[in-house]
Amino acid sequence: MSKNNSKVISRRGFLQGSAMAIGATTVGGLMPTSFAIGGTSKVRVGILLPYSGTYAMLGNSITDAFKLRVGIAGGMIAGREVEYIPIDSEMSVPKAPQNTKKLVDKEKVDFLVGPVHSGIAAVMAKLVGPREGPIMIVPNAGSNAVTGPLCADNIFRTSFSNWQPAFPGGKVMADDGHKTAITISWKYGAGIQMMAAGKSSFEQNGGKVIKDIQVPFPDVEFQANLSEIAAAKPDAVFAFFSGGGAVKFVKDYAAAGLKDKIPLYGPGFLTEGVSKAQGAAAEGIKTTLHYSGDLDNPANHAFRKAYNEAYGKMPNVFSVQGYDAAELIIKALTQVGGDTGATGDLIKAMSGAEFPDSPRGPWRMSAAHNPIQDIYLREVHDGKQKLLGVAAKDLEDPAEGCNMA
Ligand code: BEZ
């Protein structure tokens, strides 16, 4: 979490102004007296996100934006104060069961927000769904299984499935005239699923993936892999890394002399939130993602202004996902008058949720509880994401294996 979270709350007046600009729901007139009197009954939000290691920036961006949205609602959710119970996931899959159980069984949270890492998401989903635990909102992890075979009535995602931002990217590479590619990613669910999605659309459009390189997570020693790519001479490279690892990979790629010879593509995580740190090495990299900082809609302008005022930096896709996670809880809990015990009605409200004013553009929840959303094509220019167009309109994950009858 950023150190200056308190700034968000102390700027309530400013943020309420921003809320009006963003078109967000304020809850002043809807305060349910049974929960609000004395302020004793707080909404308990358990958070399992990385605050250390290569994904720390992602966890902090999600948390900051979640709190920004709650701050805009006056620091309350549906008239009730909020208590945050955060745990640093350390991106550890072995520690995920104990961390999840701590939040669910010991802390008895009303909502479980997390994680970033696909492997942890699968562990959490098995423990809390269907309705074994509280309502879980995934603000990043793209594990296809979470809204596929592991889908459950009490699990919702405000981010993406791994298939979603990667599938359109393969076609982009083919449309750019490339015939052969190498895929490279960390060797775990997210990387494996994104590379498979990119490969399938690249090959459907006439390309051929000649090699799939998998690097142990979260290693950042890429020299041997880069030598292999240089020797194989593919037309293009399609990569998944994120956070600190993405900074290192993109810089190493350029330092190895590959940047101007073999263009680099990938799901937008490759440059998202890190393009400034990547510097010249990131210039010209094309990626596909469900957000671009320069999206020209009023909600995005207001969101970026409010986030920058609160934290002194610009938001990224992870912030948008955290902001929409809070928006989902606020919308649903407001609809049930703040009653966190009304699980069935809460689930119903979340299942039909629509987000006409998200900074990413309008999106809605699919039957499998995953966003149906536009995927944008972006290119890094002067350290920023430049929007080139829409790579896939209203893209819905196939949600294979999801039976939520
Ligand atoms: C994942 O593990 O699902 C993931 C992590 C970082 C960025 C995108 C996806």
Side-chain angles (χ1 to χ4, degrees):
M1 294 147 278
S2 289
K3 289 195 186 75
N4 52 356
N5 279 332
S6 55
K7 225 168 132 190
V8 175
I9 309 304
S10 66
R11 290 179 172 222
R12 193 169 292 170
F14 164 77
L15 292 171
Q16 278 167 346
S18 298
M20 276 147 66
I22 294 173
T25 327
T26 49
V27 293
L30 295 167
M31 185 181 290
T33 47
S34 55
F35 302 112
I37 288 172
T40 47
S41 173
K42 296 182 178 172
V43 178
R44 293 174 68 73
V45 178
I47 303 180
L48 186 53
L49 290 171
Y51 298 118
S52 54
T54 203
Y55 286 164
M57 177 275 285
L58 286 68
N60 284 316
S61 301
I62 293 166
T63 309
D64 286 349
F66 189 101
K67 291 184 175 176
L68 175 69
R69 180 62 190 91
V70 174
I72 287 171
M76 307 260 208
I77 300 185
R80 294 172 62 184
E81 283 180 39
V82 183
E83 181 165 0
Y84 297 106
I85 303 108
I87 294 182
D88 179 358
S89 74
E90 302 170 59
M91 304 173 306
S92 165
V93 178
K95 286 187 188 166
Q98 129 201 2
N99 286 336
T100 307
K101 283 180 193 157
K102 182 163 184 238
L103 290 172
V104 174
D105 299 332
K106 181 158 174 276
E107 298 293 348
K108 305 211 181 311
V109 298
D110 298 307
F111 297 97
L112 183 59
V113 177
V116 154
H117 183 291
S118 276
I120 297 178
V123 171
M124 291 171 77
K126 283 179 198 157
L127 288 171
V128 307
R131 257 203 255 180
E132 282 296 319
I135 292 178
M136 172 172 161
I137 294 152
V138 181
N140 186 71
S143 163
N144 291 340
V146 164
T147 51
L150 296 175
C151 77
D153 53 359
N154 61 332
I155 300 177
F156 295 85
R157 186 148 54 193
T158 59
S159 50
F160 58 91
S161 73
N162 287 327
W163 177 86
Q164 269 179 316
F167 187 76
K171 180 168 185 316
V172 167
M173 274 196 313
D175 288 351
D176 280 354
H178 302 304
K179 296 284 177 230
T180 59
I182 287 182
T183 55
I184 178 166
S185 71
W186 275 315
K187 185 180 182 176
Y188 80 97
I192 293 167
Q193 293 173 358
M194 287 188 212
M195 296 304 99
K199 173 180 170 164
S200 70
S201 63
F202 184 53
E203 296 194 342
Q204 277 167 28
N205 287 282
K208 177 85 196 136
V209 169
I210 56 172
K211 190 162 194 60
D212 177 37
I213 300 175
Q214 298 182 345
V215 183
F217 176 82
D219 285 7
V220 290
E221 290 312 320
F222 300 117
Q223 287 317 319
N225 311 126
L226 295 173
S227 302
E228 200 178 345
I229 290 170
K233 295 191 177 60
D235 291 347
V237 166
F238 189 74
F240 164 73
F241 296 101
S242 189
V247 175
K248 178 80 167 36
F249 178 75
V250 166
K251 283 187 151 187
D252 284 2
Y253 195 85
L258 294 176
K259 177 175 159 42
D260 298 323
K261 290 191 191 133
I262 307 172
L264 197 48
Y265 294 81
F269 311 107
L270 191 61
T271 53
E272 186 70 9
V274 290
S275 51
K276 277 215 167 62
Q278 289 165 334
E283 289 296 303
I285 295 180
K286 278 190 195 172
T287 62
T288 42
L289 199 65
H290 48 290
Y291 182 63
S292 183
D294 60 354
L295 277 172
D296 189 12
N297 68 61
N300 190 38
H301 293 305
F303 168 66
R304 294 181 74 78
K305 185 166 179 283
Y307 192 96
N308 188 30
E309 288 277 345
Y311 301 113
K313 58 188 168 191
M314 281 304 181
N316 50 49
V317 75
F318 311 109
S319 326
V320 173
Q321 295 164 176
Y323 187 86
D324 284 349
E327 176 75 17
L328 177 64
I329 296 176
I330 290 171
K331 263 181 201 297
L333 205 51
T334 301
Q335 273 188 42
V336 301
D339 183 359
T340 36
T343 314
D345 288 341
L346 266 174
I347 287 175
K348 213 163 147 197
M350 289 188 170
S351 303
E354 298 198 356
F355 298 76
D357 295 319
S358 170
R360 74 182 85 171
W363 67 273
R364 61 192 188 281
M365 203 58 91
S366 74
H369 298 175
N370 189 63
I372 300 174
Q373 57 193 339
D374 292 349
I375 305 294
Y376 305 101
L377 175 60
R378 312 106 44 88
E379 188 173 0
V380 178
H381 270 272
D382 295 332
K384 293 186 187 138
Q385 308 295 339
K386 185 175 165 218
L387 178 66
L388 298 184
V390 176
K393 184 92 196 132
D394 248 3
L395 192 66
E396 180 170 359
D397 181 81
E400 274 163 28
C402 173
N403 291 309
M404 214 189 306

